[in-house]
Amino acid sequence: MKLSTIRLALRRFHYKISREGSFEPRTHSLAPMAVAAVQVVGGTPAISPSLLFTDSKNKGFLINAGEGIQRMILESPGLRIANITDILATRFEYNTVASIPGISLFRRDQQTVNAAHNPLTVWGTDSLNGFLRTTQLDCFADETGSDRHLVLKELKNLTALGEITVKTVPLITSHCYVFYLPQKPGNVNKKKLKEMKIPQKLLATLFKTGSVELGGGKVVNKSDLLDPSEPAPVLVVVDAQSEEECKLLSKIDFNSMVDESKQTLLLMVHFSDRDVVVKDDYKTFMNGFKDIDHLIMCKNPSSRILFDCAQRNAILSSVLPVERLFGSLEDFSSDLTNLTKNPETSITLSEHLLKYNVYPTQKSAVGWQRNNVILKKSFNFEAEEKSAKLAYNNFILVSDQKSETPSKKLRRGFFCPDMTFLGTTSTYSSTYRNVSGIFLECKEGFSALLDAGEMTVGQLIRLHGPEKAEELIGKLNFLYISHIHFDHCGGSMSVAEHYHKTNGKPLTVLCPIRMLPWFKYLSSVFKVPLNLVPLGKIHQDKSLKEELYKEHGVMIELCPAIHTRDSWSIALKSDEWKVAYSGDTTPNSQFVEIGKDCDVLIHEATHQSTLSEDAAKKRHSTVAQAIEIGEQMNARYTVLTHFSLRYQKLPPFLDETVPDNVMFAHDFMKITKGNIDTWCQATGALPLLFPAHYNDLKKQPYYKYKNKL
């Protein structure tokens, strides 16, 4: 056998070969570990924390998947949604399961081998599986093959995840888990290897098959060459949401579940309620495990997330009327920080991307690793803002010399509500844009949400901070859902939950008739009251329109949209203004009629104009079609939104003829009566503000797809 062949064989089993041909075992395990680390994902004021178990290839399973986790994983370095094989929940609440449908949809659309042949498995109770099953049947009813990528299994049947043995411990409303990880094989003992005098040609066979026969019938097993194995790691995940559950938790003897001769308890993760964790009884429970590490999964007020989006926001807000992200984030409250000061117990508070290594590697020991934790100073964009201001000022000088300011003949007597775009992309959120959500607000006291994709509430929190976001949601007149697709309704229950928490009343939701069973089921299982008003009934019943006008101060006109079944477009009219919102649709003459002479048209422009066939196939509109609708409608201004994911960095404005009363939406863009003309001028400045993104748009999304036609 050639030396190169032996070298390749040994490398497969984690050996390093010297140039002279001698070999030495690597210091880490000969066999791949089922779990190499656990990592925190989320845990910010906007997003509840999840715990991701990953192996050396970043594949693994997720515990809890609250709203926005899909987007967090998407941006996190080294993590891939397609590599998540299983999801468990410690309890059934919206902030622990809301992102599961979005994760499933993302996996399906990515069409990866992993997603196609290894569907996402969710282990849940009857309530969780009922929620997902209902969401599959309703929100994904038009999505071909969506059910193939999500498998629902009963939590009571869970005994193992791959090589990991799992024990489930139920409380009242929560579940605790004990994870028994595989035992790490000992390292190869150099002394034993020399004593055995095994010919080099038999080494590959030995480490491949586990044994080899030498001369004289002597059999050598691989285990004969290894040092004693280290104890197998055991991880415990607990969740107590009340004092009653805390009492039950304290009675569970987790130590008796660990065989100390073969296993060692390394880490206990606490998803317990913050108010429970700081109680003396819970502290006593944690003090019973002094020789292990504790991780408190909580919302970290100082965590900064979604770096790409934050950088983009800083650049835009430095020169354009974009709402700046909420910056005065406080530190942990003293009752939580005091927990970490306990000298008898090792307690750590969760941070986004904080990692705990379960097995030692060549680069790191067992324990905490903070390499990927995003620090506050990482969000200093002063240099980018300075460059943006210089580029924008140059653009204004050049544009003022070459052309006049936008015509104002249509602007006289113009009024509009303040409009904040919380999401401007389609299908699912990207690192730069969230899915659909538009917040309307008037000084007269009227406010409404037009669609609420997943993490709509999170976007409000990122923009205004938790307290101001709660106040804005509590003042909503109603939430309007244009159609049943998850990128337009995935955050609706979170909005309703916050609304009810703020003022104790059910949120009024204007929604398609086919969504009523879904909303009623969610209202029942999450115990959030809703006042549901079917759009079809509003469309047909004039007396109901008048009743809504008296209650909310706006007249509502509706027409069926050309998209999925039971989709709608809407026009809202007050005594001073009129706003029309298309939802998802192809060009629609009925929508032109109800939106006639509106002050602002908000129209979807999912595709660039050269992709009209693709847009028609998927029942969406192109940029040119949306602009044409605005002209037919005689709209004073047209705002384009709901862009395809291929345009996540910059909107599809290349080679488009854009009139001076048309603008492209960005996340956190705020349109008011006073700044709307500024936004109309802003499109031409985008290549100067984002030169790298502009080059990406030319090289990849635009010309790539244009050449396919």
Side-chain angles (χ1 to χ4, degrees):
M1 182 182 292
K2 295 181 180 179
L3 181 60
S4 59
T5 305
I6 298 174
R7 182 178 283 113
L8 282 173
L10 292 173
R11 277 177 181 163
R12 287 176 186 155
F13 297 98
H14 303 275
Y15 276 78
K16 51 186 179 181
I17 313 298
S18 68
R19 290 183 180 180
E20 293 77 17
S22 61
F23 57 90
E24 297 178 7
R26 293 190 185 275
T27 57
H28 57 277
S29 167
L30 298 179
M33 291 296 99
V35 167
V38 294
Q39 190 163 16
V40 178
V41 182
T44 72
I47 301 173
S48 297
S50 296
L51 192 68
L52 182 64
F53 284 61
T54 57
D55 62 14
S56 57
K57 297 181 180 179
N58 285 327
K59 293 184 179 181
F61 58 93
L62 190 66
I63 297 181
N64 291 343
E67 192 176 11
I69 287 297
Q70 172 257 324
R71 190 178 182 189
M72 298 293 293
I73 296 175
L74 194 62
E75 190 190 57
S76 302
L79 304 183
R80 294 186 63 207
I81 290 176
N83 287 343
I84 297 175
T85 58
D86 299 81
I87 295 180
L88 297 78
T90 58
R91 63 187 181 278
F92 178 61
E93 291 181 2
Y94 204 71
N95 62 3
T96 61
V97 302
S99 202
I100 297 176
I103 291 173
S104 174
L105 188 63
F106 181 93
R107 288 165 58 91
R108 185 214 65 186
D109 281 5
Q110 289 300 298
Q111 294 296 316
T112 61
V113 174
N114 184 67
H117 300 288
N118 296 297
L120 178 67
T121 300
V122 177
W123 300 86
T125 58
D126 292 341
S127 298
L128 174 55
N129 289 346
F131 160 67
L132 296 174
R133 197 172 291 112
T134 303
T135 302
Q136 272 188 308
L137 292 175
D138 291 337
C139 296
F140 298 154
D142 306 310
E143 308 287 352
T144 304
S146 63
D147 57 336
R148 297 199 304 267
H149 299 278
L150 185 61
V151 175
L152 308 179
K153 293 187 178 182
E154 292 291 334
L155 182 61
K156 61 184 179 182
N157 297 327
L158 175 61
T159 57
L161 292 170
E163 298 180 13
I164 302 174
T165 302
V166 183
K167 179 177 288 187
T168 305
V169 183
L171 298 179
I172 300 173
T173 61
S174 305
H175 287 82
C176 304
Y177 300 99
V178 183
F179 298 98
Y180 300 92
L181 278 61
Q183 194 171 34
K184 177 185 176 182
N187 293 321
V188 174
N189 188 298
K190 297 181 184 179
K191 185 177 180 180
K192 292 181 180 179
L193 194 59
K194 291 180 179 179
E195 291 175 353
M196 292 290 184
K197 298 181 180 180
I198 303 170
Q200 282 192 341
K201 63 181 181 180
L202 297 179
L203 284 176
T205 304
L206 172 62
F207 288 105
K208 184 176 181 180
T209 63
S211 63
V212 68
E213 185 175 344
L214 303 180
K218 182 180 179 182
V219 176
V220 178
N221 296 313
K222 184 172 67 174
S223 59
D224 298 334
L225 304 177
L226 303 180
D227 290 329
S229 299
E230 298 179 4
V234 178
L235 309 182
V236 175
V237 175
V238 299
D239 189 350
Q241 293 298 304
S242 64
E243 291 186 15
E244 291 77 10
E245 287 194 324
C246 178
K247 292 178 182 178
L248 288 176
L249 188 63
S250 62
K251 295 178 182 179
I252 300 172
D253 188 0
F254 288 104
N255 287 319
S256 67
M257 301 180 189
V258 179
D259 184 351
E260 295 184 356
S261 63
K262 300 179 181 178
Q263 300 166 333
T264 179
L265 181 56
L266 281 183
L267 175 68
M268 182 174 287
V269 182
H270 303 264
F271 279 97
S272 301
D273 183 80
R274 174 192 168 282
D275 292 334
V276 174
V277 169
V278 297
K279 297 287 186 182
D280 290 337
D281 288 346
Y282 203 92
K283 294 177 184 177
T284 302
F285 166 73
M286 287 193 290
N287 287 337
F289 303 90
K290 296 180 179 179
D291 298 329
I292 68 171
D293 289 311
H294 293 265
L295 174 63
I296 307 295
M297 301 293 282
C298 51
K299 290 188 175 183
N300 187 331
S302 61
S303 285
R304 307 304 298 269
I305 59 170
L306 301 173
F307 180 89
D308 293 336
C309 180
Q311 183 185 53
R312 179 186 182 83
N313 173 264
I315 293 172
L316 286 173
S317 60
S318 66
V319 294
L320 292 168
V322 171
E323 290 282 284
R324 270 190 181 271
L325 297 183
F326 186 71
S328 57
L329 298 175
E330 301 175 355
D331 292 329
F332 281 116
S333 57
S334 58
D335 53 0
L336 280 177
T337 54
N338 287 339
L339 287 176
T340 63
K341 298 176 182 178
N342 186 344
E344 297 182 357
T345 310
S346 173
I347 298 176
T348 301
L349 302 181
S350 66
E351 294 179 83
H352 177 51
L353 298 183
L354 177 66
K355 181 183 286 188
Y356 188 90
N357 292 315
V358 179
Y359 296 103
T361 66
Q362 284 183 315
K363 296 182 179 180
S364 57
V366 172
W368 300 112
Q369 181 180 330
R370 299 176 51 86
N371 296 358
N372 293 326
V373 174
I374 301 176
L375 303 176
K376 287 183 180 180
K377 63 181 180 181
S378 302
F379 280 71
N380 186 341
F381 303 118
E382 291 181 2
E384 290 88 343
E385 291 179 29
K386 184 177 180 180
S387 177
K389 289 177 182 177
L390 180 62
Y392 188 74
N393 290 337
N394 291 336
F395 164 75
I396 293 298
L397 288 173
V398 174
S399 61
D400 285 347
Q401 293 172 4
K402 289 187 176 181
S403 62
E404 298 179 2
T405 56
S407 171
K408 296 184 179 179
K409 63 181 180 180
L410 296 177
R411 319 311 196 238
R412 293 169 188 167
F414 169 77
F415 291 94
C416 74
D418 292 349
M419 293 174 283
T420 303
F421 287 77
L422 302 173
T424 55
T425 192
S426 61
T427 311
Y428 45 80
S429 298
S430 69
T431 58
Y432 293 92
R433 297 176 185 266
N434 206 63
V435 285
S436 296
I438 305 167
F439 188 84
L440 305 185
E441 186 179 17
C442 294
K443 294 180 180 178
E444 296 80 10
F446 171 80
S447 64
L449 262 175
L450 305 181
D451 282 330
E454 183 182 346
M455 207 180 160
T456 293
V457 171
Q459 291 288 85
L460 280 171
I461 293 174
R462 294 183 67 217
L463 189 56
H464 299 293
E467 293 182 4
K468 180 65 174 178
E470 291 279 356
E471 179 185 337
L472 291 173
I473 294 171
K475 292 179 179 179
L476 284 174
N477 287 71
F478 57 78
L479 165 64
Y480 164 80
I481 302 296
S482 62
H483 63 289
I484 203 167
H485 286 163
F486 203 72
D487 58 328
H488 292 258
C489 68
S492 53
M493 286 306 297
S494 182
V495 175
E497 199 171 53
H498 282 76
Y499 181 88
H500 182 252
K501 176 183 176 182
T502 301
N503 53 35
K505 298 189 296 185
L507 174 66
T508 297
V509 180
L510 314 183
C511 65
I513 292 175
R514 68 180 292 201
M515 292 190 70
L516 294 180
W518 186 70
F519 271 125
K520 288 178 180 178
Y521 180 82
L522 266 58
S523 175
S524 173
V525 296
F526 291 116
K527 297 178 175 56
V528 179
L530 297 172
N531 176 28
L532 302 173
V533 184
L535 295 177
K537 188 175 181 180
I538 300 174
H539 180 54
Q540 297 174 351
D541 191 340
K542 291 184 179 180
S543 62
L544 180 56
K545 288 183 183 179
E546 293 175 359
E547 183 181 329
L548 291 171
Y549 175 73
K550 291 179 182 179
E551 183 178 357
H552 303 296
V554 294
M555 182 60 69
I556 299 173
E557 292 291 340
L558 296 158
C559 73
I562 307 173
H563 189 54
T564 186
R565 179 168 56 88
D566 204 6
S567 297
W568 295 86
S569 299
I570 190 173
L572 299 172
K573 185 177 180 180
S574 75
D575 296 336
E576 292 188 326
W577 51 262
K578 183 176 182 180
V579 173
Y581 173 52
S582 67
D584 287 6
T585 185
T586 58
N588 184 359
S589 59
Q590 291 186 56
F591 182 48
V592 173
E593 290 301 316
I594 69 168
K596 202 72 175 176
D597 298 323
C598 64
D599 293 289
V600 179
L601 163 65
I602 304 171
H603 203 290
E604 71 119 295
T606 308
H607 299 286
Q608 62 198 55
S609 298
T610 53
L611 295 178
S612 56
E613 291 183 8
D614 193 24
K617 181 180 178 182
K618 297 178 180 178
R619 297 179 183 178
H620 285 295
S621 299
T622 66
V623 171
Q625 289 170 342
I627 292 173
E628 175 64 22
I629 290 295
E631 293 173 350
Q632 294 176 15
M633 205 178 270
N634 194 31
R636 293 191 179 191
Y637 293 91
T638 298
V639 186
L640 306 182
T641 186
H642 194 268
F643 307 119
S644 166
L645 284 162
R646 62 171 68 106
Y647 317 115
Q648 60 170 314
K649 295 180 180 179
L650 288 180
F653 64 91
L654 287 180
D655 288 358
E656 301 283 0
T657 302
V658 182
D660 68 359
N661 66 333
V662 175
M663 65 211 81
F664 293 84
H666 306 268
D667 279 23
F668 306 117
M669 167 184 183
K670 185 172 184 177
I671 295 176
T672 66
K673 175 186 175 181
N675 69 27
I676 196 164
D677 282 320
T678 302
W679 277 114
C680 293
Q681 293 178 284
T683 301
L686 293 178
L688 300 176
L689 297 177
F690 303 99
H693 294 179
Y694 179 66
N695 290 331
D696 288 343
L697 187 65
K698 289 192 300 181
K699 293 177 181 178
Q700 297 177 5
Y702 183 76
Y703 292 108
K704 174 182 176 182
Y705 285 94
K706 183 177 180 180
N707 293 336
K708 285 185 177 181
L709 298 177

